[in-house]
Amino acid sequence: MPTEQTWKVGPLAEASGLTVRTLHHWDQIGLLQPSRRTSSGHRSYTEQDVVRLYQILALRRLGLGLDTIGTCLDAGVDPVRLVREHLTATETALAHLQDLHERLAHLHTELTAERRPDTAALLRLLQAIGATGPSTAPGAEQALRRHLDDDQLQALRDHAAALGPATHYLLEVEWPQLYRRAEALRTAGAPPTDPRVRRIADRLDELGRLFSGGDATLSAGVRTAWCEDPAALSGTPDAPADEWAQLGEFLDQARRAR
């Protein structure tokens, strides 16, 4: 059988356009660790490590932070969907760049000919500079519809649109996974004051603010949806509402203990 190719940190950093310092940092936080050790004791990256590196870079390109990326990879990422969303984001960026290129070329021609560009052309240029890509609709909308009115749902859509492709991973991967981690800690007997529980509660609140825009009423509605309809929002079909109510109280105790 052919020998699997491996990379030391320097060559991998050069090939990926990253710095050795970045790879060392990701190793230290457990995001990307070399999984092979040579006979001389040196650690090296395998082909599977390179696959994970691509996933990290693709998710980061979609706007996710390192903590979220780690959660998503731990929970399992659909490679087909990831590549599709990465491709869509790239195509959107290319389309915006092409539009911006055409408008800048027109402006350059006008200025070179010592003609003053009209206001409408400048406004179109500003629109091209500030253009954003298409948004991804939250997959849990049907469940949320049972707990939120049309205006609240529209507000969620607007905030999700601002997040773009990151929406799917934040709402359908990281959010449920955070709840699952909190439940595992609760059933293991961890107190609400445990720093791990408080970090989860803080991140859940951060995500809530991200999708609600800081609207307390909207945040409360989403939290009620989680408590009353955990099976639909958590991705766990057999999630019992009574246990999720206990989990909700557990997290609230962590919040009050801050």
Side-chain angles (χ1 to χ4, degrees), residues 135-157:
S135 63
T136 303
E141 182 173 316
Q142 291 304 314
L144 291 169
R145 184 174 291 279
R146 293 191 284 272
H147 304 279
L148 303 175
D149 61 31
D150 288 341
D151 289 341
Q152 290 173 320
L153 282 171
Q154 186 57 52
L156 281 179
R157 293 191 196 99

Side-chain angles (χ1 to χ4, degrees), residues 65-137:
L66 294 183
D67 288 343
T68 299
I69 291 172
T71 300
C72 291
L73 294 180
D74 291 344
V77 171
D78 177 2
V80 175
R81 179 163 190 165
L82 175 58
V83 172
R84 182 174 67 245
E85 291 179 343
H86 193 187
L87 177 62
T88 299
T90 301
E91 290 174 341
T92 300
L94 286 173
H96 291 156
L97 285 173
Q98 180 62 32
D99 184 40
L100 179 59
H101 176 271
E102 292 174 359
R103 295 185 190 281
L104 284 171
H106 173 72
L107 179 61
H108 181 265
T109 299
E110 294 294 294
L111 292 174
T112 300
E114 298 185 350
R115 291 191 295 267
R116 182 177 180 179
D118 59 65
T119 304
L122 288 175
L123 288 175
R124 287 193 295 270
L125 177 59
L126 289 175
Q127 290 173 351
I129 293 173
T132 58
S135 63
T136 303

Side-chain angles (χ1 to χ4, degrees), residues 4-13 15 34 36 43-50:
E4 182 183 28
Q5 184 176 0
T6 60
W7 293 262
K8 291 183 179 179
V9 64
L12 183 60
R36 182 70 58 82
R43 302 170 70 200
S44 57
Y45 295 87
T46 66
E47 293 175 1
Q48 277 303 111
D49 294 332
V50 174

Side-chain angles (χ1 to χ4, degrees), residues 136-205:
T136 303
E141 182 173 316
Q142 291 304 314
L144 291 169
R145 184 174 291 279
R146 293 191 284 272
H147 304 279
L148 303 175
D149 61 31
D150 288 341
D151 289 341
Q152 290 173 320
L153 282 171
Q154 186 57 52
L156 281 179
R157 293 191 196 99
D158 292 342
H159 293 306
L163 296 172
T167 300
H168 160 70
Y169 296 95
L170 294 172
L171 189 61
E172 298 183 30
V173 180
E174 185 184 16
W175 207 321
Q177 185 68 4
L178 288 170
Y179 273 109
R180 293 189 191 105
R181 288 182 177 180
E183 176 63 3
L185 289 169
R186 185 185 74 85
T187 55
T193 54
D194 187 309
R196 295 172 296 175
V197 180
R198 294 171 66 174
R199 282 196 296 269
I200 290 173
D202 287 343
R203 179 56 179 164
L204 286 169
D205 291 346

Side-chain angles (χ1 to χ4, degrees), residues 4-25:
E4 182 183 28
Q5 184 176 0
T6 60
W7 293 262
K8 291 183 179 179
V9 64
L12 183 60
E14 183 178 355
S16 61
L18 299 170
T19 64
V20 170
R21 182 177 180 179
T22 295
L23 289 178
H24 279 319
H25 174 61

